[in-house]
Amino acid sequence: TALLAILGTIPLYGQALFVGSGAQVTVATGDALYIDDDITNNGSIDLKAASGSYAQLKLTGTYSGSGTFSQQQHLTDGWHLLASPVSNVYNATSNGSTSALYAFNTDLAGGNPGYVAWSTSYNEPDRGFYGKVGAAGNFLSTAGLLTVSGTPNTSTSARSVGLTAAVTSNGSANGSGTGWNLLGNPYPCGLDWYS
């Protein structure tokens, strides 16, 4: 069994990455792994987090293999806007309770946007969610690490955003008559808004 722990304060760059069966790559809190080509993962890749910091993975190629991938995020008490970096979004592999996770919906009665309880129909990688941390019955009962596992999102996605008929029919209540949408970053790394 091989273990590669990526530690340090500068990003690690590679052309391609192959993780063999039984091998483990752990990217420490605050560190980043950039791969300019493909990743084949038959072992495990784990991105760690702590209060105020998280690990990142950025790749420009494809992700394949039979191994596991997980990423942590540290959540404090209170309400959070969330998005998942894995293709199966929030499900049984996450330690959060999806029954206490809400998706933004512009199509509620009267055209007043609001939040609706999570369901598999909202299982989309770039959808933003709203969840509370800090008490029994919340998305997370106590502040700490949220872990999601699955296949990391790597491709571009397109979502049609705008306003629904319900919002336009109630334009006077909504002022400008525009629709609200909640989108999230669907990747296991930060977005460069300048490029």
Side-chain angles (χ1 to χ4, degrees):
T1 301
L3 171 65
L4 172 63
I6 298 170
L7 303 171
T9 57
I10 61 171
L12 179 65
Y13 293 87
Q15 186 63 34
L17 178 65
F18 178 84
V19 182
S21 179
Q24 179 179 357
V25 174
T26 301
V27 183
T29 299
D31 290 334
L33 174 61
Y34 297 105
I35 303 298
D36 286 332
D37 202 352
D38 300 336
I39 293 178
T40 303
N41 178 17
N42 293 316
S44 70
I45 298 175
D46 300 307
L47 306 181
K48 300 298 185 181
S51 180
S53 186
Y54 62 97
Q56 300 183 70
L57 169 67
K58 181 178 181 182
L59 67 143
T60 59
T62 61
Y63 178 92
S64 64
S66 59
T68 61
F69 172 86
S70 68
Q71 185 171 27
Q72 295 178 334
Q73 180 180 5
H74 186 274
L75 299 177
T76 58
D77 285 345
W79 288 95
H80 295 271
L81 299 175
L82 304 165
S84 176
V86 295
S87 60
N88 52 353
V89 190
Y90 295 105
N91 59 19
T93 62
S94 169
N95 57 323
S97 172
T98 56
S99 64
L101 195 60
Y102 301 92
F104 195 75
N105 187 350
T106 60
D107 218 1
L108 297 178
N112 296 315
Y115 293 93
V116 294
W118 181 90
S119 72
T120 54
S121 65
Y122 296 119
N123 212 21
E124 301 159 311
D126 56 356
R127 181 177 289 278
F129 295 95
Y130 201 44
K132 190 171 185 182
V133 175
N138 291 165
F139 179 58
L140 286 179
S141 59
T142 60
L145 295 175
L146 167 68
T147 303
V148 292
S149 299
T151 302
N153 296 317
T154 59
S155 64
T156 59
S157 62
R159 175 178 292 280
S160 176
V161 296
L163 55 137
T164 65
V167 173
T168 56
S169 67
N170 194 21
S172 61
N174 292 309
S176 66
T178 57
W180 290 94
N181 295 273
L182 178 58
L183 304 177
N185 174 8
Y187 303 112
C189 63
L191 294 175
D192 182 351
W193 292 103
Y194 295 103
S195 64

